Amino acid sequence: MTSPSARRVILAPLLIGLAAIGWLLVPLRPALAPSSRTIRIEAGNFEYFPSQLTVQRGDRVTLELVARDVVHGLHLDGYAVDITADPGQTARATFVADHAGTFTFRCSIPCGPLHPFMIGKLRVDPSDTLARAAGLALLAVLFGAWLARAKADIPATVGAAAP
Amino acid sequence: MTSYELTRSPFARAMLKSRWPQLAVQLGLLGGLGLVIASGLLGTPVGSRSFAIVMVWIVWWAALMLVAVPWLGRAWCSVCPLPLPGEWLQRGVIGGPPRRGSGSARGLRWPRRLRGMWVQNGAFLAVAILSLPVLTQPRWTGILLVGLIVAAVALGLIFERRAFCRYVCPVGGFIGLYSQVAPVEVRVRDAAVCAAHTSKTCYTGNESGYGCPWNVFPGSLQVNTYCGLCMECLRTCPHDNVAINLRPVGADLTQAGPRAMDEAFKAILLLGSGLAYTALLLGPWGRARAAAAAVGSGAWLLYALGFLTFVAAALPALLLAATRLGLWLSRIRLTPIAALRTLSPALIPLGLSVWIAFSLSFLLANLSYAGPVLSDPLNLGWNLLGTAGVGWAPLGQVLFPWLTIGILIAGLAWSSQRLGAIAEGLRGGPRLAWPMRVVSLMLTIGVLAVLAP
Amino acid sequence: MKPESGARLAVSLLALGLPLALVGGWRAARSSSVVTMHARMSEDGGWSTETLRVAAGEPLQLNLISDDVVHGFAIGHSDLTPIDLQPGQMVRTTLVFPQPGTYTFYCTRWCGPNHWRMRGEIEVTGPAVSADAPQPPLYQTLGIDLDAPHPAAVVPARRPSAARGADLGIDLPATLADLSSSLARSPAEAWLELRADPSTDGLSGDDVWDLVAWVWRSYATDASIEAGAALFAQNCAACHGESGAGDGVMAGSIDVASMGSGGTSAPLAPADFTDAARMLGASPALLQGKITRGGMGTGMPYWGPVLTEAQIWSLTDYLWTFQFEESR
């Protein structure tokens, strides 16, 4: 039989691991019914307005890209959307948001110095990635704490010398 | 896990002692640097088609952040082309062993008051508040690199050794501190041999090589921070007592005791600037970015003050407060500053994971620009490699959020473990670590909010 | 040779190399017959060269490169396919002009509020080919005052439809079926003429408006309207709006400071083509004139050197779609 201290050593990481798996799998939010949406995104001065969008999984989304100053593009990760809009010519793309999660969209046409940082985010709900990641972060801190207890690698000293 | 000596193999030792492989790489990189400067000063002002911007801030930076620093320590410093012209003038020799009477340097010792990382910290912060135009406009990158070369030449002619690299280079402090994580090290095999060796030629130099250009005494090297992996000590030691070892990742972090003030501050500075860059460049705050780019304007001044206040005042104050709370909880008898200096190595995995996640984000998004700039480095319509027409396409974008989460979580876990291990080592309790753990958790969640979802 | 000479030589070569490259590149650019043209937003200088000279029949080699955003290169009154200029990517092209004269080159992709000012001239020298003197545009022949207000005397209660007008089965009077007089007549004037004609006695006012719309469709072909729509999208919608209501993305940025004297002191909004009172009082010839000559200090560009007469007529054909329905 394993000794009590050995059991404790195995128990802590086991519990943390199970908590992590459970946390990743449990659905946190109910999904709403899908609908059809049209979202107008204006692009100008290296920003998208709005830059953070939220839709429901299954929604039929039409993005309208309106360029305000120069030619801008919009490339959406995770979906085959890559459109270019000149000022005066709204570009449109329609897709079905069938993957949940958070997807970055970026400008795909060089539009000046800050072009690489022209970024927006599309969240397809139910998406709890941030909550799950935060939970995992907490478990990571606990795991690190357990590791420190289980495996001391610094010889104990009394206090420390003055600078 | 103990270390394994790489230089046990005669072939490896010969390759590392020989000057020619190193010189070949250095010359290649020097040529690349020349092309980068030409592109920056003469090529297009469009960042995404500029050889200078893409090769330096995307390719080189990613290679540094993802491969060189975490895995090879200061290996970049051993082949970096920036100090080469200055070093050649200083030594009077290109790539070869010392010759009698050669060299044009004054050879002064670096002033005592300017020692340590403070000048480097300042240089790093100066580049940081100018980072947006430097990262996006080729002229700025070209001028910065020319400036660094001029500084390196001037310092090489006035001072001894690699004064620029050790005390001034803005990237050097960054590379040095994070190289503590790398599984590669230069150490002596047997300290007794060094004790018996009176002339200490590894530091003073002899006919086989130069005294340590990094102003380090190889015999007492315990951490990687200041060793530039230049291999001179391998060449000068008459007893072949210097070895290159493979060792467990993060071994230097387990050194006990408080770190020097400048190093501890550097660790906080790097963590803070990683957080600030992530928020500024990858967050939704377009106004802040525009302010950061408009150098010289009132908005930029506000941004610069905000940036400096955060990394040099607010974050240190927050960490100090967490340390005080930890001291009160654990009743360890240390001053808060001394305790923070002792805990500071735990910030290294956290800061490194933030920098890696941040770098990975724009690397994956923009690596496809490398094809066109390699084929047409001076924007004259060339197509050297046939890739001039390759379009932009971000890579790995579905994988990236998960990779980010993994990297940040791993860094946080490691940091938490270090905090606990350091606290355990200070008899008096692991409670010292908990407030810092909470702060680390909050900061990590902040980064996750910007980068992943 | 002392050892450090090698080092000094190497560093000197490196230090000299850069200025030498600069001088060499500059001299090569000057001596070559290829013209390198940099495109920048008008606020930052526009085209790096605004006047080019070439002999008729001789090739003009251009290296075009954009230094900031997407631009385009095209030549007015020519069938050269516009060349898109992606930032930082050099495009090489060779132009040949058989006929001497002055050609306007211009930017084709909106690059800021002053995009339309990105123009230059190519002077093609050579023996003058005798040709008929060009016809003055219709608005000049008719002596129309382009700057006078033109309110419509009557406006319809509902949107006129050309299909409904066709369905009415009325034979148009000869004066209304003639193209050149149609172009000279505003829709409000056409309505008054139709109202006065006995053949429309049994029709309501709106029915007569449908007939006016049908008159428009009798000379404006599908192809012309489609061409006009494309021209509008590329050139006009940025200021006038995709809906024609004068609310385009550039509408708020019309550069007041660069307007010459003779303009009004307050910036005017771009014309609202959905405003019936204004549009229906304007004849196609007046619209052609406004487009050709520009707005004289209002911020409306002059398109004469860039668009051919046929293109401008297509535009005016399209502009009526903001007032009339093509179909029921």
Side-chain angles (χ1 to χ4, degrees):
Chain A
M1 265 324 281
T2 48
S3 65
S5 60
R7 253 184 271 136
R8 244 178 285 137
V9 166
I10 303 169
L11 205 57
L14 195 62
L15 283 175
I16 292 174
L18 286 174
I21 294 171
W23 179 248
L24 282 173
L25 295 178
V26 167
L28 296 176
R29 251 193 288 182
L32 300 178
S35 61
S36 239
R37 287 169 204 264
T38 300
I39 305 177
R40 180 188 162 96
I41 302 175
E42 293 195 8
N45 204 29
F46 314 111
E47 284 185 73
Y48 288 111
F49 306 92
S51 63
Q52 304 189 279
L53 317 171
T54 307
V55 299
Q56 292 298 317
R57 180 176 175 163
D59 277 355
R60 189 177 176 76
V61 182
T62 299
L63 294 177
E64 290 185 348
L65 182 64
V66 176
R68 282 184 184 174
D69 49 6
V70 297
V71 179
H72 287 286
L74 190 149
H75 172 102
L76 177 62
D77 298 329
Y79 294 93
V81 173
D82 196 326
I83 51 181
T84 303
D86 287 40
Q89 296 173 265
T90 303
R92 288 175 181 81
T94 305
F95 63 98
V96 176
D98 47 5
H99 305 295
T102 305
F103 303 91
T104 309
F105 55 91
R106 302 171 193 275
C107 183
S108 48
I109 303 285
C111 52
L114 293 183
H115 159 71
F117 305 117
M118 193 166 165
I119 301 171
K121 294 226 163 81
L122 169 75
R123 200 174 82 201
V124 181
D125 278 337
S127 162
D128 301 300
T129 319
L130 180 57
R132 292 191 201 277
L136 283 182
L138 177 61
L139 292 173
V141 170
L142 296 173
F143 179 64
W146 170 79
L147 263 182
R149 280 323 275 285
K151 206 183 71 149
D153 54 25
I154 295 184
T157 55
V158 182
Chain B
M1 240 196 330
T2 50
S3 57
Y4 171 77
E5 191 195 323
L6 214 57
T7 40
R8 202 182 288 168
S9 135
F11 175 72
R13 185 167 276 274
M15 283 299 280
L16 290 166
K17 277 176 94 165
S18 164
R19 294 181 179 275
W20 304 113
Q22 189 179 24
L23 182 65
V25 177
Q26 285 175 329
L27 290 175
L29 288 171
L30 190 61
L33 180 64
L35 197 53
V36 163
I37 291 175
S39 160
L41 299 179
L42 304 173
T44 181
V46 177
S48 49
R49 296 294 295 205
S50 164
F51 186 86
I53 296 287
V54 176
M55 294 309 288
V56 173
W57 302 118
I58 297 175
V59 177
W60 168 78
W61 182 259
L64 191 73
M65 240 336 39
L66 304 176
V67 176
V69 170
W71 305 107
L72 302 173
R74 289 197 89 145
W76 166 258
C77 298
S78 70
V79 292
C80 174
L82 283 179
L84 290 180
E87 194 163 71
W88 293 345
L89 283 174
Q90 185 192 69
R91 294 177 175 177
V93 178
I94 297 177
R99 305 244 191 103
R100 272 195 162 276
S102 65
S104 352
R106 286 281 277 124
L108 297 178
R109 286 184 70 74
W110 187 255
R112 185 158 284 279
R113 225 175 269 151
L114 295 177
R115 301 242 172 124
M117 277 191 171
W118 295 109
V119 177
Q120 273 183 322
N121 290 349
F124 177 79
L125 288 176
V127 177
I129 56 177
L130 299 173
S131 56
L132 224 48
V134 168
L135 289 181
T136 57
Q137 295 184 44
R139 300 284 178 273
W140 283 72
T141 291
I143 292 172
L144 174 70
L145 290 173
V146 169
L148 291 178
I149 292 176
V150 168
V153 168
L155 292 177
L157 289 175
I158 299 171
F159 297 101
E160 60 169 8
R161 310 174 193 261
R162 280 197 174 189
F164 170 80
C165 299
R166 170 79 195 257
Y167 299 112
V168 178
C169 176
V171 202
F174 181 108
I175 298 179
L177 203 70
Y178 286 155
S179 67
Q180 293 184 14
V181 159
V184 168
E185 65 180 14
V186 171
R187 302 284 187 267
V188 294
R189 280 173 170 159
D190 182 354
V193 171
C194 298
H197 184 218
T198 45
S199 48
K200 308 279 194 272
T201 49
C202 56
Y203 185 74
T204 59
N206 59 16
E207 66 281 351
S208 309
Y210 302 88
C212 177
W214 293 86
N215 206 21
V216 162
F217 174 49
S220 63
L221 259 182
Q222 297 293 323
V223 293
N224 282 351
T225 317
Y226 300 107
C227 166
L229 291 178
C230 66
M231 308 299 162
E232 287 298 325
C233 49
L234 260 77
R235 296 164 190 146
T236 50
C237 179
H239 304 289
D240 251 352
N241 198 26
V242 182
I244 312 284
N245 302 325
L246 288 177
R247 75 215 183 139
V249 162
D252 285 349
L253 300 178
T254 61
Q255 297 283 328
R259 295 293 190 265
M261 190 67 127
D262 60 348
E263 272 186 53
F265 192 72
K266 184 70 171 190
I268 300 174
L269 211 60
L270 289 174
L271 174 64
S273 47
L275 296 168
Y277 273 138
T278 301
L280 178 73
L281 296 178
L282 303 176
W285 299 286
R287 293 275 296 277
R289 265 197 290 283
V295 173
S297 68
W300 170 78
L301 208 58
L302 219 63
Y303 149 76
L305 286 173
F307 180 91
L308 292 173
T309 305
F310 174 68
V311 303
L315 185 62
L318 177 64
L319 295 174
L320 199 62
T323 308
R324 277 184 205 269
L325 186 57
L327 284 172
W328 179 77
L329 287 171
S330 63
R331 307 209 187 287
I332 292 178
R333 297 173 72 82
L334 272 180
T335 64
I337 299 258
L340 183 54
R341 282 167 52 197
T342 312
L343 290 172
S344 66
L347 298 174
I348 289 176
L350 191 64
L352 187 58
S353 70
V354 172
W355 275 101
I356 290 178
F358 163 72
S359 306
L360 208 55
S361 165
F362 62 76
L363 167 75
L364 291 176
N366 297 309
L367 189 60
S368 55
Y369 285 134
V373 298
L374 286 170
S375 279
D376 190 9
L378 296 173
N379 307 105
L380 296 172
W382 300 348
N383 196 354
L384 302 171
L385 304 173
T387 53
V390 169
W392 170 80
L395 303 172
Q397 290 303 299
V398 182
L399 176 63
F400 171 70
W402 304 109
L403 210 55
T404 306
I405 294 174
I407 291 168
L408 291 167
I409 300 280
L412 181 62
W414 191 358
S415 190
S416 169
Q417 187 255 340
R418 289 313 319 151
L419 285 169
I422 295 169
E424 296 264 348
L426 295 172
R427 243 188 245 134
R431 286 196 208 156
L432 175 65
W434 283 104
M436 286 279 261
R437 283 196 174 114
V438 171
V439 172
S440 312
L441 179 62
M442 294 296 114
L443 293 174
T444 303
I445 292 176
V447 176
L448 284 168
V450 171
L451 277 186
Chain C
M1 197 167 88
K2 285 201 301 191
E4 62 251 35
S5 309
R8 288 212 191 107
L9 185 66
V11 178
S12 314
L13 280 174
L14 280 168
L16 279 176
L18 194 60
L20 278 175
L22 268 166
V23 172
W26 177 74
R27 293 195 55 164
R30 286 222 12 203
S31 64
S32 138
S33 60
V34 181
V35 177
T36 298
M37 182 105 82
H38 290 258
R40 287 182 184 237
M41 292 165 66
S42 185
E43 295 84 346
D44 298 325
W47 298 104
S48 57
T49 311
E50 289 189 346
T51 311
L52 297 168
R53 272 179 201 82
V54 71
E58 292 296 309
L60 175 64
Q61 292 178 62
L62 291 176
N63 288 348
L64 303 161
I65 186 167
S66 161
D67 283 351
D68 46 19
V69 297
V70 174
H71 291 285
F73 178 87
I75 298 187
H77 296 221
S78 94
D79 50 13
L80 171 77
T81 314
I83 302 171
D84 276 340
L85 300 177
Q86 299 294 327
Q89 288 181 247
M90 181 167 283
V91 176
R92 297 185 181 164
T93 188
T94 306
L95 305 172
V96 180
F97 297 89
Q99 308 284 349
T102 302
Y103 297 81
T104 302
F105 63 88
Y106 61 99
C107 178
T108 55
R109 306 289 296 271
W110 274 86
C111 50
N114 290 311
H115 151 74
W116 69 270
R117 294 181 201 274
M118 256 186 92
R119 294 181 184 177
E121 287 185 346
I122 304 177
E123 289 172 14
V124 182
T125 56
V129 177
S130 63
D132 304 321
Q135 294 270 21
L138 188 60
Y139 76 95
Q140 281 182 356
T141 314
L142 295 172
I144 298 178
D145 179 2
L146 295 177
D147 304 308
H150 42 84
V154 273
V155 291
R158 68 162 184 216
R159 206 172 152 84
S161 159
R164 276 200 304 263
D167 286 349
L168 289 170
I170 306 283
D171 281 325
L172 288 176
T175 47
L176 281 153
D178 164 50
L179 173 65
S180 55
S181 44
S182 287
L183 294 178
R185 194 186 293 115
S186 75
E189 287 165 355
W191 187 91
L192 289 169
E193 260 197 53
L194 281 168
R195 182 81 287 184
D197 193 275
S199 57
T200 66
D201 279 345
L203 299 175
S204 70
D206 280 337
D207 286 337
V208 180
W209 275 114
D210 290 336
L211 284 178
V212 172
W214 180 38
V215 167
W216 159 61
R217 279 306 256 134
S218 64
Y219 66 79
T221 62
D222 283 344
S224 176
I225 293 178
E226 215 181 290
L231 288 165
F232 184 85
Q234 284 159 28
N235 297 299
C236 321
C239 290
H240 287 281
E242 290 168 78
S243 62
D247 58 355
V249 291
M250 298 290 178
S253 328
I254 294 179
D255 191 351
V256 185
S258 61
M259 290 188 239
S261 57
T264 54
S265 52
L268 298 176
D272 177 359
F273 301 128
T274 61
D275 177 0
R278 245 184 102 178
M279 272 299 277
L280 298 177
S283 61
L286 185 141
L287 295 179
Q288 183 228 26
K290 277 267 169 85
I291 298 171
T292 307
R293 185 209 66 172
M296 302 298 261
T298 62
M300 167 70 187
Y302 57 99
W303 295 99
V306 166
L307 299 176
T308 62
E309 263 209 49
Q311 286 176 313
I312 296 181
W313 285 125
S314 286
L315 259 179
T316 59
D317 287 345
Y318 172 73
L319 287 176
W320 297 116
T321 62
F322 293 115
Q323 291 295 325
F324 303 145
E325 297 285 352
E326 294 178 64
S327 53
R328 199 182 292 272

